[in-house]
Protein backbone atom coordinates (compact mmCIF):
# COMPACT_ATOMS: atom_id res chain seq x y z
CA UNK A 1 0.00 0.00 0.00
CA UNK A 2 1.26 3.49 -0.76
CA UNK A 3 -0.12 6.91 0.07
CA UNK A 4 0.71 10.55 -0.38
CA UNK A 5 -0.57 13.82 1.05
CA UNK A 6 -0.31 17.29 -0.46
CA UNK A 7 -0.92 20.53 1.36
CA UNK A 8 -1.21 24.13 0.13
CA UNK A 9 -0.37 26.81 2.69
CA UNK A 10 0.10 30.53 3.17
CA UNK A 11 3.82 31.23 3.29
CA UNK A 12 5.51 31.90 6.62
CA UNK A 13 9.28 31.99 6.72
CA UNK A 14 9.46 29.95 9.94
CA UNK A 15 7.16 27.11 8.80
CA UNK A 16 8.66 26.97 5.31
CA UNK A 17 12.20 26.87 6.74
CA UNK A 18 11.35 24.00 9.10
CA UNK A 19 9.83 21.99 6.25
CA UNK A 20 12.83 22.60 3.98
CA UNK A 21 15.15 21.35 6.74
CA UNK A 22 13.00 18.20 7.13
CA UNK A 23 12.95 17.74 3.33
CA UNK A 24 16.75 17.92 3.14
CA UNK A 25 17.15 15.48 6.05
CA UNK A 26 14.84 12.92 4.37
CA UNK A 27 14.01 11.43 7.79
CA UNK A 28 10.49 10.01 8.28
CA UNK A 29 8.20 12.25 10.32
CA UNK A 30 4.88 11.53 12.03
CA UNK A 31 1.69 12.76 10.40
CA UNK A 32 -1.95 12.74 11.45
CA UNK A 33 -4.63 13.42 8.85
CA UNK A 34 -7.94 14.25 10.50
CA UNK A 35 -10.28 17.07 11.39
CA UNK A 36 -9.57 19.44 14.26
CA UNK A 37 -10.77 18.58 17.71
CA UNK A 38 -10.43 21.94 19.44
CA UNK A 39 -12.10 25.23 18.63
CA UNK A 40 -10.11 28.13 17.28
CA UNK A 41 -9.80 31.51 18.91
CA UNK A 42 -10.88 34.42 16.71
CA UNK A 43 -7.96 36.64 15.70
CA UNK A 44 -8.07 40.19 14.36
CA UNK A 45 -7.16 38.99 10.86
CA UNK A 46 -10.23 36.75 10.58
CA UNK A 47 -8.41 33.48 11.26
CA UNK A 48 -9.07 31.18 14.19
CA UNK A 49 -6.03 29.29 15.37
CA UNK A 50 -5.77 28.00 18.95
CA UNK A 51 -2.82 29.41 20.91
CA UNK A 52 -1.36 25.92 21.42
CA UNK A 53 -2.08 24.76 17.86
CA UNK A 54 -4.62 22.30 16.52
CA UNK A 55 -5.33 18.97 18.15
CA UNK A 56 -6.93 16.03 16.33
CA UNK A 57 -10.53 15.07 16.99
CA UNK A 58 -10.40 12.05 19.25
CA UNK A 59 -10.86 8.70 17.54
CA UNK A 60 -10.92 10.00 13.95
CA UNK A 61 -8.56 10.10 11.00
CA UNK A 62 -5.37 8.32 10.05
CA UNK A 63 -1.74 8.38 11.16
CA UNK A 64 1.56 7.23 9.74
CA UNK A 65 5.11 8.20 8.87
CA UNK A 66 5.94 10.25 5.79
CA UNK A 67 8.93 11.72 4.00
CA UNK A 68 8.74 15.13 2.38
CA UNK A 69 9.40 14.59 -1.32
CA UNK A 70 8.79 18.07 -2.66
CA UNK A 71 8.23 21.71 -1.74
CA UNK A 72 7.17 24.45 -4.12
CA UNK A 73 6.97 28.15 -3.22
CA UNK A 74 4.92 30.67 -5.19
CA UNK A 75 4.96 34.46 -4.80
CA UNK A 76 2.76 36.06 -7.48
CA UNK A 77 2.75 39.85 -7.75
CA UNK A 78 0.25 41.63 -5.48
CA UNK A 79 -0.97 38.36 -3.95
CA UNK A 80 -0.15 36.26 -0.89
CA UNK A 81 2.93 34.06 -1.09
CA UNK A 82 2.11 30.36 -0.74
CA UNK A 83 3.88 27.02 -0.69
CA UNK A 84 2.89 23.44 -1.40
CA UNK A 85 4.39 20.37 0.20
CA UNK A 86 4.15 16.75 -0.92
CA UNK A 87 4.44 13.95 1.63
CA UNK A 88 4.95 10.30 0.66
CA UNK A 89 4.10 7.43 3.00
CA UNK A 90 7.09 5.73 4.63
CA UNK A 91 5.34 2.88 6.38
CA UNK A 92 1.88 1.74 7.33
CA UNK A 93 -1.08 4.10 7.41
CA UNK A 94 -3.33 3.21 10.33
CA UNK A 95 -6.81 4.28 11.33
CA UNK A 96 -7.04 6.19 14.60
CA UNK A 97 -9.53 4.63 17.01
CA UNK A 98 -10.76 5.72 20.43
CA UNK A 99 -8.69 4.41 23.29
Amino acid sequence: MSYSITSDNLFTEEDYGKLVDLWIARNPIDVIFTIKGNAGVANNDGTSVPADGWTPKEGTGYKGKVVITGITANAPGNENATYSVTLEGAGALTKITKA
Side-chain angles (χ1 to χ4, degrees):
M1 177 172 75
S2 65
Y3 61 96
S4 64
I5 300 169
T6 59
S7 178
D8 296 321
N9 309 275
L10 285 174
F11 186 93
T12 66
E13 189 174 347
E14 181 180 354
D15 291 344
Y16 182 79
K18 286 178 185 178
L19 288 173
V20 169
D21 290 344
L22 290 168
W23 179 38
I24 291 168
R26 303 275 304 161
N27 292 327
I29 55 176
D30 294 320
V31 68
I32 296 175
F33 190 77
T34 187
I35 58 175
K36 67 179 179 166
N38 57 334
V41 177
N43 298 311
N44 292 336
D45 63 2
T47 62
S48 60
V49 178
D52 295 330
W54 299 115
T55 58
K57 185 175 180 182
E58 184 179 349
T60 65
Y62 298 88
K63 64 182 177 177
K65 293 223 178 251
V66 297
V67 173
I68 298 173
T69 58
I71 297 178
T72 305
N74 187 24
N78 298 321
E79 294 184 31
N80 291 327
T82 61
Y83 68 91
S84 298
V85 60
T86 302
L87 312 164
E88 294 290 332
L93 182 65
T94 59
K95 187 173 182 85
I96 299 171
T97 58
K98 287 190 175 186

